Amino acid sequence: MLALSGCKNLQTVQALSATLVTASSSLDSVSNELTSTCIRQEQFNPALQCADSEKSTKGLIATDTLLTTYFSALGDAAGAQSFTVKTGLDNLTASVSAIPGINQGQVSAASGLAETIATLFTEAAREKALRTMIDQGVPQAKTLVAMLGNRVPHSLSTSLRAEQDALTSQFVTYAEGSLGPDPAARCVDGPKSVDFPKGANFLLALEYCHRLQTIQAKQAAIASYQGALGNINAALDTLASSKSDLTAEQLVLKLRDDVSQLKTNLDAVNTAFGKGGGK
């Protein structure tokens, strides 16, 4: 059982909670991209079906929301703030369970985390509430973080690659072959108007390169998304494994290090997938 006496310890947990709330909210933009990239591919292939992508996105965002709610409640417990009953937890777990291919262990983690959150709102003692939050909630949260890590990077990387291939194939046709045998190479230094027989071909090359570079930036940022999940997991491990007073300087420094690395990865994620990134 964790010892949670002292002020500095609780302030540290509060600060960590605030960062994790921001982090889990930021993950939505990456989850949204699974549907967005499919919809963009539909522009070139109207027969493409995006129903599974939409269902996955809905479930993954529900997972992000469950984690956000958990991290928020963690901060409430550490700050002795009044708990407010969170509505819609059942709807969130239903969306998570509807993710195509999700396993029972992941579904159980989602429903278990929702139950842990709901239980906290009836807990009167601040210290007991925080201990419950950590002892019961951390393993469930880690399972959901692992699920995101196992599903999103691979699925998104595959979809972005398909989008890039479809984009290149279509623009090669639009540009009447003027993009050459390696269209992506045209974008390294940027298209030059003198290299194209028509002004329209040059404008198409500019548009192609803009879209291609957006896709490539998102592909590169997947590693930062994975890093952010690793940072969240590390922070949860730090809380779960600490059996001594949370005011210990070593713990405080470790959590600060986790948060610092997390912020670095989130900056890269938000740059590529932030507001408007899925457009």
Side-chain angles (χ1 to χ4, degrees):
M1 188 64 73
L2 293 166
L4 298 170
S5 59
C7 176
K8 185 177 180 181
N9 53 347
L10 298 175
Q11 290 176 341
T12 301
V13 174
Q14 278 185 284
L16 176 65
S17 167
T19 301
L20 292 177
V21 166
T22 300
S24 50
S25 297
S26 294
L27 301 183
D28 281 359
S29 60
V30 184
S31 299
N32 268 320
E33 186 65 18
L34 284 172
T35 295
S36 297
T37 182
C38 186
I39 291 173
R40 290 193 297 270
Q41 289 177 67
E42 280 186 317
Q43 297 173 355
F44 307 125
N45 181 12
L48 186 65
Q49 298 296 315
C50 295
D52 280 351
S53 295
E54 291 170 355
K55 188 178 292 186
S56 290
T57 290
K58 182 178 179 181
L60 293 169
I61 288 178
T63 303
D64 298 338
T65 303
L66 269 176
L67 289 170
T68 299
T69 304
Y70 168 64
F71 297 141
S72 179
L74 182 66
D76 287 348
Q81 299 174 18
S82 298
F83 292 142
T84 302
V85 175
K86 302 294 192 291
T87 60
L89 290 176
D90 288 343
N91 290 336
L92 292 176
T93 56
S95 294
V96 173
S97 65
I99 295 174
I102 193 170
N103 65 47
Q104 187 55 47
Q106 294 162 345
V107 172
S108 296
S111 59
L113 188 59
E115 290 172 7
T116 297
I117 294 168
T119 299
L120 288 171
F121 300 126
T122 66
E123 190 68 73
R126 175 190 188 188
E127 184 171 328
K128 185 178 179 182
L130 189 51
R131 285 174 174 171
T132 300
M133 171 66 75
I134 294 173
D135 291 343
Q136 294 184 10
V138 164
Q140 297 158 342
K142 282 172 57 64
T143 296
L144 295 181
V145 170
M147 185 268 284
L148 292 174
N150 289 333
R151 296 183 66 88
V152 176
H154 174 73
S155 296
L156 185 54
S157 179
T158 299
S159 191
L160 287 171
R161 169 55 65 179
E163 180 184 354
Q164 179 175 328
D165 291 344
L167 176 77
T168 298
S169 176
Q170 198 64 48
F171 269 78
V172 164
T173 300
Y174 290 160
E176 302 170 320
S178 61
L179 288 173
D182 185 5
R186 290 273 194 180
C187 303
V188 175
D189 296 319
K192 305 294 189 299
S193 61
V194 295
D195 295 331
F196 295 87
K198 301 177 184 178
N201 295 148
F202 171 60
L203 293 176
L204 283 168
L206 288 175
E207 178 63 17
Y208 167 73
C209 289
H210 171 70
R211 294 194 186 191
L212 177 65
Q213 288 163 354
T214 298
I215 293 172
Q216 291 174 332
K218 290 174 179 177
Q219 290 171 326
I222 290 174
S224 296
Y225 174 83
Q226 292 173 300
L229 292 179
N231 300 143
I232 293 172
N233 197 61
L236 291 171
D237 278 339
T238 300
L239 287 177
S241 64
S242 176
K243 301 302 180 182
S244 58
D245 191 337
L246 284 182
T247 59
E249 188 66 22
Q250 183 177 6
L251 173 62
V252 173
L253 293 175
K254 178 64 173 69
L255 287 176
R256 286 177 180 171
D257 185 55
D258 293 335
V259 168
S260 176
Q261 293 180 36
L262 175 58
K263 288 180 177 178
T264 298
N265 281 313
L266 285 181
D267 284 344
V269 168
N270 289 331
T271 297
F273 294 100
K275 188 175 181 181
K279 295 289 186 359

